[in-house]
C-alpha cells in the first residue's frame, strides 16, 4: 500500500500540534511505568531507549534505572575513566540529564558535563571519547547522549556509547536493558542517587568544552582551506538542535561564508514545517521538514541541515533541491575515496543492506571492498575505529568517515562533517553534489527507489523477522531471474531482521516495523519507475505468501 501523505505535510506547524511542555515535564516526574506492560519497559532499539512521558515510556524511573545499569555495567567491565554526558534540545532531555547526574554522582562516576551547560551533538561526544582514549589502554572513557534523535518533540531518548565511541552493540544494550528492567520491577529500589544540587557539587563532576575541542579538530576531517579559497556560499538550518551554537563558531574559526538561517531553540519546535505523516519531526532528509531551508536554496551555493542531535545530515543544492540521502552517500563515497590519498588502499566502503545499489557500483569502480551490514550504525563503529572502513553510511542520512590522514574521526554518526563535506566537494570539483550525482548516474546507471508499508499481525512480523531464503519460493522478480536471497548481511553475517531479494537490475528488502503492526518494503530499480512498481507489487505478494500461514 502507498504511504499516505498528511494534508499538513510541508506546512507550518499549527498551534494545536505543539506539545504542552509543562505537562510533558510534569509527566516525566509523576508518571510511574508498569514493567509488566511491554510498552513501558526499557527497550533499546537501534539507537538507545526512546519514548514519551505522556505514554509512560520515557519517565524518570526509566532514566534512573538505565543510568544505574550503565554504572553497574561499566564497573563490571573495568571501565573506570570519565563518562562524557551530552544532551540535545528536546524538552525531556534536560530533566533526564538531571536524573542521570544524580545517579552518576551517587555511583561516584567521574563525569564530564558541557561547559556552560551547552547542548552537545552526538558526534561531539563520540569525538571526546576517542580523543581522551587515544593512546590509553586503561582508564578508558565512555559516554551517554540524552536524545531521541529526530523524533517528535514529545519524545525523550537515552543512549550509551562505550569506549570505542560508537553506539553500544547488542550484547551491551541487552545487558543494560535487562538490568534496567530488573530495577523497574523493584520500583528502582536498587538505584544509588544523590540530590541534584549536591550531585552538581560532587568531586566527581567536571566540565568539558565539547564545542571548542570538536570545532578546533574539524580541519582534520574537512578541507576548510579549499572551502574558504573557493568562497563557497553556505546556508545552514540547525533545526533548533544541539549544534545550534556550533555553526557560527565554525564560520568564525575557519573564516567561512556560512550563514545560520535560524538559531532559535524552542522545545515545542513550533518553527518547523510538518513532516509527511502530520507530525513534527526534525528530519533533515525530509523535504516536508526542510521547507524553510528549501525556500532559501537559491541564496547559497550549497545549504544543509542537521537533526536534533546533529548526527544526520540533509544536503540542498540550487538545482536539485534536497538530495535524497542515497544520492548524497554515493557522491560522498566517490569523492572521498578519490580525494583522500593518505587513506589506506585497504579501507573499505560500509553501507546498510537497504542503501542504494549505486554504492555497490561506485565501490567496484573505485576498486574498494564493500562491507554491507544490517540497519544500525553500531555495525560500522569497529571498522571506523581501526581504519578498515573509510566510510560508513545509512540510507537514513547518517554517515561518518575517517580524518584526512586516515585515522578515526568519530565512530558514531556525524551530521556536521558530511554537511561540510558537501561544501568541500563543491569547492574542489567546481560542481555541487547534485550535479555530480547526475554524472554518476550517466556513467553507472540511474536507480529509482521507493518504500511502502503493509499491514502485518505480530505473529506475521515475527515470521518475517525469522524468514530464511528457503522460505522464498519465487524464482523471478519483475521479469528477471532472482540472483540472490539473503537474511544475513554479506559484510558481517549478522541477521538483517528480514529478507532481501536481488536481481541484475533491482532488489527489495522487507523488514517488520519495531513500533507498528506493519512491515516495510524497500525497493530499487536500475531500469525505470514501471519496473520499480512491479518490484514493489511482486515483493508484497512474495512476502505475504511467505508469512500467510502465521
Amino acid at each position: 500500500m502507498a504511504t499516505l501523505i498528511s494534508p499538513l505535510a510541508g506546512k507550518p506547524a499549527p498551534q494545536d500540534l505543539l506539545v504542552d511542555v509543562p505537562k510533558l515535564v510534569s509527566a516525566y516526574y509523576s508518571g510511574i511505568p508498569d514493567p509488566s506492560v511491554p510498552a513501558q519497559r526499557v527497550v533499546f532499539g537501534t539507537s538507545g531507549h526512546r519514548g514519551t512521558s505522556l505514554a509512560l515510556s520515557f519517565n524518570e524511573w526509566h532514566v534512573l534505572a538505565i543510568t544505574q545499569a550503565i554504572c553497574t555495567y561499566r564497573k563490571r567491565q573495568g571501565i573506570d575513566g570519565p563518562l562524557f554526558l551530552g544532551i540535545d534540545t528536546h524538552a525531556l532531555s534536560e530533566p533526564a540529564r538531571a536524573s542521570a547526574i544524580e545517579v552518576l554522582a551517587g555511583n561516584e562516576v567521574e563525569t564530564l558535563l558541557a561547559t556552560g551547560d551547552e547542548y552537545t551533538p552526538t558526534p561531539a561526544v563520540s569525538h571526546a571519547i576517542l580523543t581522551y582514549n587515544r593512546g590509553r589502554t586503561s582508564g578508558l572513557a565512555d559516554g551517554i547522549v540524552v536524545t531521541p534523535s529526530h523524533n517528535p518533540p514529545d519524545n525523550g531518548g537515552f543512549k550509551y556509547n562505550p569506549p570505542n565511541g560508537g553506539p553500544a552493540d547488542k550484547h551491551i544494550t541487552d545487558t543494560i536493558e535487562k538490568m534496567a528492567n530488573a530495577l523497574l520491577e523493584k520500583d528502582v529500589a536498587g538505584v544509588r542517587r544523590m540530590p541534584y544540587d549536591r550531585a552538581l557539587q560532587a568531586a566527581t563532576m567536571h566540565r568539558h568544552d565539547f564545542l571548542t575541542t570538536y570545532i578546533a579538530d574539524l580541519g582534520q576531517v574537512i578541507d576548510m582551506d579549499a572551502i574558504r579559497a573557493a568562497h563557497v556560499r553556505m546556508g545552514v538550518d540547525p533545526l533548533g538542535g544541539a549544534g545550534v551554537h556550533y555553526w557560527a563558531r565554525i564560520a568564525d574559526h575557519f573564516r567561512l561564508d556560512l550563514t545560520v538561517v535560524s538559531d532559535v531553540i524552542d522545545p515545542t519546535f513550533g518553527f518547523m514545517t510538518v513532516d509527511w505523516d502530520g507530525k513534527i519531526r526534525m528530519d533533515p532528509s525530509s523535504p516536508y521538514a526542510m521547507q524553510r531551508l528549501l525556500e532559501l536554496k537559491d541564496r547559497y551555493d550549497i545549504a544543509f541541515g542537521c537533526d536534533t542531535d546533529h548526527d544526520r545530515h540533509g544536503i540542498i543544492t540550487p538545482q536539485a533541491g534536497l538530495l535524497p540521502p542515497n544520492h548524497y552517500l554515493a557522491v560522498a563515497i566517490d569523492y572521498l575515496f578519490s580525494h583522500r590519498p593518505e587513506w589506506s588502499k585497504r579501507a573499505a566502503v560500509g553501507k546498510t543492506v537497504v542503501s542504494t545499489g549505486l554504492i555497490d557500483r561506485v565501490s567496484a569502480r573505485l576498486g574498494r571492498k564493500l562491507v554491507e551490514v544490517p540497519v544500525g550504525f553500531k555495525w560500522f563503529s569497529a571498522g571506523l575505529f581501526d581504519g578498515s572502513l573509510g566510510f560508513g553510511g545509512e540510507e537514513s542520512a547518517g554517515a561518518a568517515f575517517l580524518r584526512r590522514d586516515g585515522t578515526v574521526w568519530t565512530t558514531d554518526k556525524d551530521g556536521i562533517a558530511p554537511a561540510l563535506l558537501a561544501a568541500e566537494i563543491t569547492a574542489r570539483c567546481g560542481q555541487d553534489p547534485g550535479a555530480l550525482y547526475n554524472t554518476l548516474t550517466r556513467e553507472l546507471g540511474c536507480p529509482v527507489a521507493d518504500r511502502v508499508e503493509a499491514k502485518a499481525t505480530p505473529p506475521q512480523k515475527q515470521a518475517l523477522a525469522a524468514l530464511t531464503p528457503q522460505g522464498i519460493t519465487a524464482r523471478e522478480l519483475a521479469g528477471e531471474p532472482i540472483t540472490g536471497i539473503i537474511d544475513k548481511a554479506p559484510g558481517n553475517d549478522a541477521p538483517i531482521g528480514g529478507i532481501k531479494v536481488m536481481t541484475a537490475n533491482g532488489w527489495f528488502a522487507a523488514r517488520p516495523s519495531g513500533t507498528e503492526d506493519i512491515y516495510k518494503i524497500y525497493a530499487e530499480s536500475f531500469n525505470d519507475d514501471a519496473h520499480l512498481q512491479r518490484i514493489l507489487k511482486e515483493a508484497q505478494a512474495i512476502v505475504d505468501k511467505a508469512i500467510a500461514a502465521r
Side-chain angles (χ1 to χ4, degrees), residues 410-462:
T410 63
T411 48
D412 209 333
K413 297 189 291 289
D414 186 343
I416 298 172
L420 290 167
L421 179 68
E424 179 190 328
I425 291 171
T426 302
R428 295 190 64 180
C429 297
Q431 298 182 82
D432 64 47
L436 291 171
Y437 178 77
N438 291 335
T439 300
L440 270 185
T441 58
R442 286 195 296 270
E443 297 169 348
L444 299 176
C446 184
V448 286
D450 200 359
R451 188 185 85 179
V452 298
E453 300 172 350
K455 292 182 179 179
T457 65
Q460 288 173 331
K461 288 169 58 181
Q462 293 173 8

Side-chain angles (χ1 to χ4, degrees), residues 44-301:
F44 274 79
T46 55
S47 189
H49 173 78
R50 297 179 185 176
T52 175
S53 60
L54 301 176
L56 297 175
S57 53
F58 190 89
N59 302 80
E60 184 180 35
W61 277 25
H62 293 104
V63 176
L64 295 175
I66 296 170
T67 309
Q68 181 61 56
I70 290 171
C71 291
T72 302
Y73 170 81
R74 68 195 309 272
K75 185 174 183 179
R76 290 177 181 175
Q77 297 298 312
I79 302 170
D80 55 2
L83 183 143
F84 292 90
L85 178 62
I87 70 169
D88 76 0
T89 55
H90 276 80
L92 290 175
S93 293
E94 181 56 43
R97 169 185 176 272
S99 301
I101 287 172
E102 291 183 0
V103 178
L104 293 168
N107 284 268
E108 300 182 338
V109 173
E110 297 288 335
T111 304
L112 288 165
L113 310 174
T115 300
D117 293 328
E118 180 62 69
Y119 298 109
T120 311
T122 285
V125 174
S126 179
H127 175 268
I129 295 169
L130 294 169
T131 300
Y132 183 88
N133 289 341
R134 187 176 298 127
R136 298 176 187 266
T137 56
S138 61
L140 298 179
D142 53 2
I144 290 171
V145 189
V146 185
T147 174
S149 190
H150 62 291
N151 278 25
D154 66 353
N155 274 219
F158 206 85
K159 62 183 183 180
Y160 173 64
N161 287 38
N164 75 352
D169 65 29
K170 192 174 188 303
H171 171 73
I172 296 174
T173 57
D174 282 353
T175 301
I176 293 171
E177 181 180 302
K178 182 178 180 180
M179 287 192 291
N181 282 319
L183 287 166
L184 287 183
E185 290 164 1
K186 297 177 182 177
D187 297 340
V188 296
V191 173
R192 298 177 60 187
R193 62 192 294 197
M194 183 183 294
Y196 183 63
D197 289 344
R198 282 181 51 205
L200 283 179
Q201 301 303 318
T204 54
M205 288 291 152
H206 313 282
R207 295 288 173 169
H208 176 73
D209 193 344
F210 289 95
L211 186 152
T212 297
T213 54
Y214 175 87
I215 291 174
D217 228 9
L218 264 175
Q220 301 302 311
V221 70
I222 299 295
D223 187 347
M224 299 295 190
D225 293 338
I227 298 172
R228 182 173 56 254
H231 304 289
V232 178
R233 292 174 299 126
M234 295 167 282
V236 60
D237 191 342
L239 300 181
V244 68
H245 297 142
Y246 279 55
W247 292 103
R249 287 281 296 272
I250 289 170
D252 290 343
H253 186 86
F254 294 104
R255 305 190 307 282
L256 303 177
D257 185 355
L258 173 61
T259 300
V260 181
V261 303
S262 174
D263 59 2
V264 172
I265 297 174
D266 171 10
T268 72
F269 293 89
F271 52 79
M272 290 293 299
T273 48
V274 179
D275 205 5
W276 66 272
D277 57 354
K279 296 181 179 180
I280 297 174
R281 187 180 287 110
M282 292 62 70
D283 181 357
S285 67
S286 166
Y288 304 105
M290 288 282 278
Q291 276 300 304
R292 179 169 65 175
L293 190 56
L294 278 166
E295 292 173 358
L296 304 176
K297 65 183 178 64
D298 294 330
R299 298 184 185 180
Y300 308 107
D301 298 316

